[in-house]
């Protein structure tokens, strides 16, 4: 699926663009903003001064918050506004780009932090105080309109420090680690199923790629906080990066939405819930059928991927000190590739028959309580389930005369079937308070996880890609044979995991020093570990900030690796992390962040033999590098971002070959982006991206490996893994956003062209064992289009 997946054709794009109404437009009805201002302890701040400036006319309005820290500013013309919030004793907060929509009351929240040094201006929302020093927060507007983001908020993360993404799909790697090494939370609930079509079987690109599309429609996520390393003791389990996604709350006024995609649609509601005063509700439901879409654009060999996502969130204030939240997520995906798709594959280079189906659900309850004058106590109870079954077979189009119909192809269906059933029940409790030293945090986690994994191989199966040390009964045999005795396996296990942490931030003048300790009991690894964490921030002036982080992180083994063979008794991987850096603010419009890091990797899980699915904690290695991020406002409405990441990650698999480059490492990743808000209606953006190639393999191609009287087959024997580099490449993404009201309906449309120059990627070559050649992915520009209709009342 990965080699040919394209989201749209130019002809379809032009047809949809021409569907925009061309008639004259009436004056747009006014909208409103509800501004909520709190302090670090989530207490409302009254008499905060709010200055709202209409960007197009420079007209300003000044108001102040009421005793509940709120103010409603109505009768605002639709368009872009900047909002400035100030209060004595606190750092001033500023948001340069807030959109007011026709007839809609949009709520925005500001958290003001007490400021001991001279007055500063910060963005409306910053990363959590317990996050790493180089954490980045992206708000709703940044996520839904990022160049290259298309209709997927995870694509909008491109350009963050240490992050490498090819731009086509939602998966990403960080600082040389793989897509599955990232720690993912949704509303602070652990949920690693945020990406659809994370393949268990199939081509190497699909299995290792980490998935295709996120489960979120573009307007559902209100914020994303990304930490590339060095975060606090409250989080553990994965070591590459921490990504916390927030599902949006409903707004004070009701609105309904319809988003049209060339593969399907999304409907939604956003507004009051009617349960208690100020309670809100957000509902999003979408269905995308790429099978029908691929038929429309005549990409007939890919298959039929279908996805469906339903997300419901309600925020219910009980009283002034207690708020109750409900989050419901129901996601489904289905992918089928049958013999008719094989028949459309050029040169029959992909003859795989695939069938995969997955249901993943998350149901979460949150009670957030204000305790005393300075404390917040948050309790979360959740239930998560995932049921996935994947099967792969093979068609043999070369065994029938050329030109034969697909129905005549010999097939071997469901050669291998993998079932992955997970159920998790969890409770999380976090307490945070301001004390005499600064801010104290503590929490506990208890989860019960039940796994039911099974792999069934229906008879022997020849594999024509193998490592030279994979098991073969005959050493002269130039392919490997998977057998049921070696591959069939199951894992039926229920374990209870525990974790607890304490974290104290010491605030002393210009210094913030954070110390933390995390204890974890991993039932599947049968291991208890302690992880100390430390960081320091020093801001001697408003021009410079210096920081350092250090800590021990443990990464739990993957369930699929545990289930692949009964002999796989895997422990947690250990990552010792340290970093130093500084941030320079030449003025209020520009910032430069630089961070250098070093990681010592130990007890890494490596695969021993693909013929029997064995893994062991025998690997070690190192990863070091530096990230540089420049953010600037050239003038109001024109913003730029530049990033550069260097990484040198090596792993010793203990196979006698010594250190080799880590599988997902890239020496250099650089991006340069520019965004121009031309007017209230038009916004254009572009990003240039350069990526070093991933590590390459040395291999030998053998011909006619099955021998006389058998079908002609070639094999690829990998003699050295991850030596040398594939060629580097660069991409250019461009985006245009347009917004206009047509009577009571607010219309938002975008055109986002990924890889506008059709540059070739070196990452995705596949071996065709019928012809004995490496097939390179065909590259082309990928224009994405979205159209959203909002109706508020």
């Amino acid at each position: 699926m990965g080699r040919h997946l394209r989201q749209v054709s130019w002809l379809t794009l032009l047809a949809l663009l021409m569907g925009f109404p061309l008639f004259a437009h009436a004056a747009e009805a006014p909208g409103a903003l509800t501004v909520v201002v709190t302090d670090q302890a989530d207490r409302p701040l009254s008499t905060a001064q709010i200055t709202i400036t209409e960007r197009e006319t420079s007209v300003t309005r000044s108001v102040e918050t009421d005793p509940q820290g709120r103010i409603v500013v109505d009768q605002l013309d639709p368009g872009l506004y900047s909002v400035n919030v100030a209060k004595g004793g606190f750092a001033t907060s500023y948001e340069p780009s807030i959109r007011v929509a026709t007839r809609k009351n949009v709520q925005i929240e500001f958290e003001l932090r007490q400021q001991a040094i001279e007055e500063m201006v910060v963005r409306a929302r910053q990363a959590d105080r317990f996050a790493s020093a180089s954490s980045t927060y992206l708000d709703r507007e940044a996520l839904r309109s990022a160049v290259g983001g298309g209709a997927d908020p995870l694509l909008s993360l491109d350009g963050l420090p240490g992050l490498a993404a090819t731009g086509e799909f939602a998966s990403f790697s960080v600082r040389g680690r793989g897509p599955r090494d990232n720690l993912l939370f949704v509303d602070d609930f652990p949920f690693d199923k945020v990406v659809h079509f994370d393949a268990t079987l199939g081509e190497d690109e699909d299995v290792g790629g980490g998935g295709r599309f996120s489960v979120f429609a573009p307007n559902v996520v209100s914020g994303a906080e990304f930490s590339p390393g060095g975060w606090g003791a409250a989080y553990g389990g994965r070591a590459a990066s921490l990504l916390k996604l927030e599902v949006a709350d409903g707004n004070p006024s009701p609105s309904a939405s319809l988003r049209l995609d060339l593969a399907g649609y999304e409907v939604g509601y956003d507004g009051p819930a009617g349960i208690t005063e100020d309670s809100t509700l957000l509902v999003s439901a979408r269905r995308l059928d790429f099978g029908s879409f691929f038929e429309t654009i005549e990409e007939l060999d890919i298959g039929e991927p279908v996805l469906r996502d339903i997300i419901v969130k309600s925020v219910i204030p009980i009283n002034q000190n207690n708020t109750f939240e409900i989050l419901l997520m129901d996601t489904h995906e289905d992918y089928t590739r049958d013999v008719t798709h094989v028949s459309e594959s050029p040169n029959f280079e992909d003859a795989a028959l695939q069938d995969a189906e997955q249901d993943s659900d998350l149901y979460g309850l949150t009670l957030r309580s204000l305790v005393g004058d300075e404390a917040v106590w948050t309790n979360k109870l959740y239930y998560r389930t995932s049921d996935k079954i994947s099967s792969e077979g093979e068609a043999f189009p070369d065994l029938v005369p050329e030109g034969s119909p697909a129905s005549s192809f010999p097939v071997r269906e469901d050669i291998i079937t993998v079932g992955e059933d997970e159920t998790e029940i969890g409770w999380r409790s976090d307490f945070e308070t301001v004390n005499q030293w600064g801010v104290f945090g503590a929490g506990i986690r208890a989860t019960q996880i039940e796994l039911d994994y099974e792999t069934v191989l229906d008879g022997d199966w020849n594999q024509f890609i193998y490592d030279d040390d994979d098991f073969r009964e005959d050493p002269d045999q130039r392919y490997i044979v998977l057998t049921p005795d070696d591959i069939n396996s199951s894992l039926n296990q229920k374990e209870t995991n525990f974790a607890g942490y304490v974290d104290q931030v010491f605030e002393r003048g210009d210094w913030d020093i954070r110390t933390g300790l995390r204890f974890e009991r991993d039932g599947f690894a049968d291991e208890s570990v302690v992880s100390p964490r430390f960081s320091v921030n020093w801001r001697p002036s408003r021009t410079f900030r210096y920081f350092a982080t250090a800590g021990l992180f443990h990464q739990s083994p993957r369930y699929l690796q545990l289930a692949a063979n009964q002999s796989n008794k895997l422990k947690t991987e250990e990552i010792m992390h340290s970093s130093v850096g500084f941030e320079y603010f030449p003025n209020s419009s520009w910032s430069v962040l630089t961070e250098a890091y070093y990681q010592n990797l130990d007890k890494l899980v490596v695969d021993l033999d693909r013929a029997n699915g064995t893994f062991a904690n025998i690997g070690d290695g190192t990863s070091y590098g530096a990230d540089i991020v420049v953010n600037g406002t050239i003038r109001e409405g024109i913003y730029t971002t530049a990033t550069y990441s260097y990484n040198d990650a090596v792993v010793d698999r203990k196979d006698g070959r010594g250190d080799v480059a880590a599988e997902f490492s890239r020496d250099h990743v650089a991006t340069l982006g520019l965004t121009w808000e031309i007017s209230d209606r038009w916004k254009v953006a572009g990003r240039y991206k350069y990526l070093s190639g991933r590590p390459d393999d040395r291999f030998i191609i053998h011909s006619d490996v099955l021998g006389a009287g058998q079908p002609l087959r070639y094999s690829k024997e990998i003699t050295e893994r991850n030596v040398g580099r594939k060629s580097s490449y660069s991409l250019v993404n461009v985006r245009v956003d347009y917004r206009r009201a047509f009577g009571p309906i607010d219309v938002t449309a975008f055109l986002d062209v990924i890889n506008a120059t059709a540059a070739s990627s070196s990452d995705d070559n596949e071996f065709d064992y019928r012809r004995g050649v490496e097939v390179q992915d065909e590259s082309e520009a990928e224009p994405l289009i979205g159209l959203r209709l909002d109706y508020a009342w």
Side-chain angles (χ1 to χ4, degrees):
M1 180 173 66
R3 282 208 311 268
H4 308 289
L5 190 55
R6 299 294 179 257
Q7 295 272 317
V8 71
S9 70
W10 286 105
L11 291 177
T12 309
L13 170 66
L14 289 173
L16 190 53
L17 281 175
M18 291 175 65
F20 275 98
L22 301 177
F23 48 81
H25 312 296
E28 300 180 28
L33 288 177
T34 296
V35 183
V36 179
V37 184
T38 62
D39 62 12
Q40 290 175 276
D42 277 347
R43 269 56 178 186
L45 286 178
S46 61
T47 67
Q49 302 298 312
I50 312 295
T51 302
I52 299 176
T53 304
E54 186 176 8
R55 293 260 300 270
E56 191 171 34
T57 64
S58 298
V59 174
T60 64
R61 292 175 61 177
S62 296
V63 294
E64 65 178 33
T65 55
D66 61 19
Q68 284 71 47
R70 300 168 63 93
I71 188 66
V72 178
V73 186
D74 54 13
Q75 295 301 309
L76 295 174
D77 291 334
L80 293 175
Y81 290 78
S82 63
V83 181
N84 190 83
V85 182
K87 186 175 175 64
F90 294 84
T92 299
S93 190
Y94 177 73
E95 184 58 63
S97 184
I98 298 292
R99 180 169 292 283
V100 172
T102 181
R103 307 207 306 178
K104 190 170 185 177
N105 185 347
V106 177
Q107 181 170 300
I108 55 174
E109 299 180 2
F110 292 79
E111 180 186 283
L112 301 189
R113 301 188 178 185
Q114 290 184 324
Q115 190 60 57
I117 65 173
E118 59 183 299
E119 182 181 2
M120 294 172 48
V121 177
V122 299
R123 287 295 298 263
R125 176 65 186 269
Q126 303 175 86
D128 185 87
R129 64 176 66 89
F130 291 122
S132 65
S134 57
S135 292
T136 304
Y137 182 84
L138 298 178
D139 60 23
R140 197 174 193 174
E141 180 63 25
L143 289 170
R144 65 188 171 192
S145 62
V147 60
D152 196 323
L154 291 194
L155 282 172
S156 301
L157 303 177
D158 194 15
L160 294 181
L163 185 147
T166 60
E168 187 177 0
F169 299 119
S171 58
F172 57 89
S173 58
V174 178
R175 291 180 172 177
R177 305 282 285 179
R180 296 187 181 93
D181 297 328
N182 300 308
L183 186 59
L184 303 174
F185 285 82
V186 178
D187 275 6
D188 238 11
F189 295 107
F191 190 62
D192 62 350
K193 311 298 184 184
V194 298
V195 182
H196 281 296
F197 307 117
D198 184 0
T200 301
L201 301 170
E203 298 172 351
D204 289 343
E205 175 202 357
D206 293 328
V207 173
R212 299 305 180 197
F213 314 104
S214 83
V215 302
F216 301 104
N219 209 45
V220 169
V221 177
S222 65
E225 182 180 301
F226 173 79
S227 300
W231 54 86
Y235 298 95
R238 287 286 179 267
S241 72
L242 170 63
L243 178 62
K244 296 161 57 178
L245 302 169
E246 300 173 356
V247 177
D249 300 345
N251 282 302
S253 64
S255 64
S257 63
L258 169 65
R259 190 178 69 85
L260 302 177
D261 190 287
L262 292 172
Y265 62 89
E266 174 210 355
V267 295
Y269 169 81
D270 171 11
I275 301 173
T276 65
E277 186 178 1
D278 296 328
S279 64
T280 61
L281 176 67
L282 179 137
V283 179
S284 172
R286 70 170 179 172
R287 184 181 187 275
L288 304 180
D289 185 345
F290 292 100
S292 299
F293 169 63
F294 292 150
E295 289 182 8
T296 301
I297 64 173
E298 297 185 351
E299 291 279 4
L300 303 178
D301 64 324
I302 301 175
E304 299 179 6
V306 179
L307 64 87
R308 184 260 298 151
D309 302 305
I310 300 173
I311 299 176
V312 179
K313 182 177 180 179
S314 183
V315 179
I316 307 169
I318 301 173
N319 53 42
Q320 188 172 352
N321 293 325
N322 295 279
T323 302
F324 187 65
E325 295 182 6
I326 302 172
L327 176 66
L328 308 175
M329 297 180 61
D330 183 338
T331 72
H332 174 83
E333 64 186 54
D334 194 355
Y335 174 60
T336 301
R337 188 174 192 270
D338 58 29
V339 69
T340 60
H341 304 106
V342 173
S343 69
E344 298 291 342
S345 178
N347 299 309
F348 303 124
E349 60 194 32
D350 187 357
L353 307 175
Q354 292 183 312
D355 196 357
E357 185 174 2
Q358 176 171 290
D359 287 287
S360 295
D361 302 325
L362 173 66
Y363 310 112
L365 304 176
T366 301
L367 177 62
R368 183 173 292 106
S369 303
L370 305 182
V371 181
D373 294 330
E374 304 286 354
V376 180
W377 185 20
T378 304
N379 284 276
K380 292 179 174 289
L381 185 67
Y382 67 92
Y383 173 80
R384 181 186 68 83
T385 182
S386 177
D387 186 4
K388 180 179 181 180
I389 186 166
S390 311
S391 66
E392 182 175 359
E394 187 175 0
F396 303 91
D398 57 331
L399 300 186
V400 297
E402 185 176 352
S404 298
S407 59
S408 67
F409 291 179
V411 297
R412 187 180 171 194
E413 297 181 327
D414 300 331
I415 302 174
I416 188 169
T417 302
V418 179
E420 306 165 58
D421 193 356
E422 305 174 13
T423 302
E424 178 177 357
I425 299 174
W427 171 56
R428 303 167 59 87
S429 184
D430 297 271
F431 180 80
E432 183 179 308
T433 186
V434 176
N435 58 20
Q436 58 184 322
W437 299 291
V439 180
F440 172 80
I444 56 176
R445 285 93 170 89
T447 60
Q448 185 181 78
I449 303 174
E450 183 174 3
L451 303 180
D452 185 2
Y453 276 48
E454 185 176 32
T455 300
V456 177
L457 181 66
D458 183 19
D460 293 354
W461 194 19
N462 296 336
Q463 297 291 288
F464 300 102
I465 301 176
Y466 65 99
D467 291 305
D468 59 359
D469 58 355
D470 284 338
F471 174 76
R472 287 159 285 161
E473 289 187 359
D474 179 2
D476 294 327
Q477 181 177 288
R478 299 307 185 186
Y479 58 97
I480 61 174
V481 181
L482 306 185
T483 67
D485 288 344
D486 290 330
I487 295 299
N488 287 358
S489 62
S490 63
L491 176 66
N492 302 99
Q493 190 173 351
K494 180 189 292 186
E495 297 290 348
T496 301
N497 296 339
F498 297 98
Y501 75 92
V502 292
D503 213 317
Q504 175 69 52
V505 178
F506 297 92
E507 298 176 345
R508 289 292 180 271
D510 303 336
W511 294 81
D512 290 339
I513 301 173
R514 187 195 73 209
T515 58
L517 189 68
R518 180 181 179 86
F519 169 81
E520 294 178 87
R521 171 64 186 174
D522 190 319
F524 292 100
D526 192 21
E527 188 176 23
S528 298
V529 295
V530 176
S531 307
R533 310 282 172 85
F534 173 82
S535 72
V536 58
N537 273 276
W538 177 40
R539 186 152 193 169
S541 69
R542 64 181 302 175
T543 304
F544 280 98
R545 176 175 72 97
Y546 303 92
F547 58 85
T549 67
L552 180 62
F553 295 79
H554 292 87
Q555 178 157 304
S556 300
R558 291 188 62 210
Y559 298 144
L560 269 174
Q561 294 170 343
L562 289 170
N565 192 297
Q566 292 182 351
S567 66
N568 293 339
K569 307 298 182 183
L570 303 179
K571 301 297 184 180
T572 59
E573 299 179 342
E574 290 185 0
I575 295 89
M576 179 65 75
H577 167 92
S578 59
S579 72
V580 295
F582 70 89
E583 193 168 11
Y584 172 54
F585 303 88
N587 53 51
S588 60
S589 299
W590 290 85
S591 68
V592 180
L593 182 142
T594 300
E595 182 179 25
Y597 61 88
Y598 179 86
Q599 296 176 346
N600 187 70
L601 315 175
D602 198 14
K603 299 181 181 179
L604 298 181
V605 175
V606 299
D607 63 300
L608 302 179
D609 193 329
R610 70 175 77 195
N612 53 36
T614 51
F615 296 83
N617 290 92
I618 61 173
D620 58 35
T622 60
S623 177
Y624 64 88
D627 299 319
I628 301 173
V629 182
V630 179
N631 288 302
T633 300
I634 298 174
R635 66 175 176 83
E636 188 173 65
I638 303 180
Y639 314 104
T640 187
T641 301
T643 66
Y644 169 73
S645 296
Y646 170 76
N647 175 256
D648 187 327
V650 296
V651 173
D652 185 352
R653 299 165 49 85
K654 305 304 178 184
D655 55 3
R657 296 169 180 169
D659 288 343
V660 297
E663 182 179 359
F664 289 93
S665 67
R666 298 181 189 270
D667 289 337
H668 309 283
V669 177
T671 68
L672 176 61
L674 183 69
T675 299
W676 181 18
E677 294 173 339
I678 301 174
S679 67
D680 288 347
R681 307 197 188 284
W682 290 97
K683 180 178 181 180
V684 296
R687 175 179 287 125
Y688 169 81
K689 177 164 55 175
Y690 170 86
L691 301 99
S692 294
R694 284 172 49 184
D696 208 351
D697 296 332
R698 292 192 180 130
F699 56 86
I700 302 171
I701 294 179
H702 303 283
S703 63
D704 199 14
V705 296
L706 295 182
Q710 299 295 320
L712 177 62
R713 294 291 183 264
Y714 297 80
S715 69
K716 177 180 176 180
E717 179 184 4
I718 300 173
T719 57
E720 292 185 78
R721 280 203 216 178
N722 296 355
V723 290
R725 291 277 172 181
K726 298 177 181 179
S727 61
S728 60
Y729 59 98
S730 58
L731 303 172
V732 175
N733 301 335
V734 295
R735 177 172 177 130
V736 179
D737 288 83
Y738 176 77
R739 182 222 148 255
R740 186 78 190 234
F742 297 89
I745 298 177
D746 196 79
V747 177
T748 306
F750 72 83
L751 167 63
D752 200 346
V753 184
I754 297 176
N755 192 13
T757 58
S760 296
S761 165
S762 64
D763 293 338
D764 302 329
N765 294 347
E766 293 292 337
F767 179 65
D768 182 354
Y769 55 82
R770 286 175 171 78
R771 295 184 294 149
V773 297
E774 290 274 293
V775 179
Q776 186 171 358
D777 185 20
E778 297 179 2
S779 296
E780 60 187 58
E782 300 162 20
L784 315 175
I785 190 168
L787 179 65
R788 180 183 172 94
L789 310 176
D790 285 272
Y791 175 76
W793 63 92

PDB file of all heavy atoms in Angstrom, residues 122 171 335 498 570 604 637 665 684:
ATOM      1  N   VAL A 122       5.023  36.121  26.681  1.00  0.00           N
ATOM      2  CA  VAL A 122       5.081  34.725  26.260  1.00  0.00           C
ATOM      3  C   VAL A 122       3.838  34.404  25.453  1.00  0.00           C
ATOM      4  O   VAL A 122       2.844  35.122  25.488  1.00  0.00           O
ATOM      5  CB  VAL A 122       5.173  33.775  27.479  1.00  0.00           C
ATOM      6  CG1 VAL A 122       6.424  34.053  28.273  1.00  0.00           C
ATOM      7  CG2 VAL A 122       3.937  33.917  28.367  1.00  0.00           C
ATOM      8  N   SER A 171       3.280   8.926  10.571  1.00  0.00           N
ATOM      9  CA  SER A 171       4.301   8.386  11.454  1.00  0.00           C
ATOM     10  C   SER A 171       5.568   9.244  11.385  1.00  0.00           C
ATOM     11  O   SER A 171       5.818   9.937  10.405  1.00  0.00           O
ATOM     12  CB  SER A 171       4.621   6.940  11.075  1.00  0.00           C
ATOM     13  OG  SER A 171       5.052   6.873   9.732  1.00  0.00           O
ATOM     14  N   TYR A 335      -8.562  -3.212   5.745  1.00  0.00           N
ATOM     15  CA  TYR A 335      -7.763  -3.144   4.531  1.00  0.00           C
ATOM     16  C   TYR A 335      -7.791  -4.499   3.836  1.00  0.00           C
ATOM     17  O   TYR A 335      -7.521  -5.537   4.450  1.00  0.00           O
ATOM     18  CB  TYR A 335      -6.318  -2.765   4.849  1.00  0.00           C
ATOM     19  CG  TYR A 335      -5.404  -2.816   3.638  1.00  0.00           C
ATOM     20  CD1 TYR A 335      -5.648  -2.018   2.533  1.00  0.00           C
ATOM     21  CD2 TYR A 335      -4.299  -3.658   3.608  1.00  0.00           C
ATOM     22  CE1 TYR A 335      -4.826  -2.057   1.415  1.00  0.00           C
ATOM     23  CE2 TYR A 335      -3.461  -3.704   2.507  1.00  0.00           C
ATOM     24  CZ  TYR A 335      -3.726  -2.899   1.407  1.00  0.00           C
ATOM     25  OH  TYR A 335      -2.906  -2.945   0.304  1.00  0.00           O
ATOM     26  N   PHE A 498       2.476  -1.215  37.777  1.00  0.00           N
ATOM     27  CA  PHE A 498       2.369  -0.101  38.720  1.00  0.00           C
ATOM     28  C   PHE A 498       3.455   0.921  38.413  1.00  0.00           C
ATOM     29  O   PHE A 498       4.532   0.585  37.917  1.00  0.00           O
ATOM     30  CB  PHE A 498       2.538  -0.576  40.164  1.00  0.00           C
ATOM     31  CG  PHE A 498       1.494  -1.532  40.640  1.00  0.00           C
ATOM     32  CD1 PHE A 498       1.726  -2.897  40.645  1.00  0.00           C
ATOM     33  CD2 PHE A 498       0.264  -1.062  41.089  1.00  0.00           C
ATOM     34  CE1 PHE A 498       0.768  -3.783  41.089  1.00  0.00           C
ATOM     35  CE2 PHE A 498      -0.701  -1.940  41.531  1.00  0.00           C
ATOM     36  CZ  PHE A 498      -0.456  -3.307  41.545  1.00  0.00           C
ATOM     37  N   LEU A 570      11.788 -10.979  27.489  1.00  0.00           N
ATOM     38  CA  LEU A 570      12.432  -9.698  27.272  1.00  0.00           C
ATOM     39  C   LEU A 570      12.292  -8.773  28.466  1.00  0.00           C
ATOM     40  O   LEU A 570      11.251  -8.729  29.130  1.00  0.00           O
ATOM     41  CB  LEU A 570      11.844  -9.030  26.029  1.00  0.00           C
ATOM     42  CG  LEU A 570      11.941  -9.840  24.730  1.00  0.00           C
ATOM     43  CD1 LEU A 570      11.296  -9.089  23.582  1.00  0.00           C
ATOM     44  CD2 LEU A 570      13.385 -10.180  24.406  1.00  0.00           C
ATOM     45  N   LEU A 604      19.222  -3.246  24.533  1.00  0.00           N
ATOM     46  CA  LEU A 604      18.339  -3.050  23.389  1.00  0.00           C
ATOM     47  C   LEU A 604      17.839  -4.400  22.878  1.00  0.00           C
ATOM     48  O   LEU A 604      18.582  -5.387  22.831  1.00  0.00           O
ATOM     49  CB  LEU A 604      19.071  -2.322  22.266  1.00  0.00           C
ATOM     50  CG  LEU A 604      19.589  -0.911  22.576  1.00  0.00           C
ATOM     51  CD1 LEU A 604      20.272  -0.334  21.354  1.00  0.00           C
ATOM     52  CD2 LEU A 604      18.469  -0.005  23.051  1.00  0.00           C
ATOM     53  N   GLY A 637       1.745  38.867  10.815  1.00  0.00           N
ATOM     54  CA  GLY A 637       1.140  38.082   9.762  1.00  0.00           C
ATOM     55  C   GLY A 637       2.118  37.288   8.922  1.00  0.00           C
ATOM     56  O   GLY A 637       1.697  36.450   8.119  1.00  0.00           O
ATOM     57  N   SER A 665      18.090   6.201  11.909  1.00  0.00           N
ATOM     58  CA  SER A 665      18.911   7.396  12.077  1.00  0.00           C
ATOM     59  C   SER A 665      19.109   8.125  10.751  1.00  0.00           C
ATOM     60  O   SER A 665      19.207   7.504   9.687  1.00  0.00           O
ATOM     61  CB  SER A 665      20.268   7.016  12.672  1.00  0.00           C
ATOM     62  OG  SER A 665      21.006   6.235  11.741  1.00  0.00           O
ATOM     63  N   VAL A 684      -1.097  31.708   2.954  1.00  0.00           N
ATOM     64  CA  VAL A 684      -0.238  30.842   2.150  1.00  0.00           C
ATOM     65  C   VAL A 684       0.981  30.466   2.992  1.00  0.00           C
ATOM     66  O   VAL A 684       1.398  31.212   3.888  1.00  0.00           O
ATOM     67  CB  VAL A 684       0.208  31.525   0.840  1.00  0.00           C
ATOM     68  CG1 VAL A 684      -0.987  31.812  -0.049  1.00  0.00           C
ATOM     69  CG2 VAL A 684       0.994  32.794   1.129  1.00  0.00           C
TER      70      VAL A 684
END
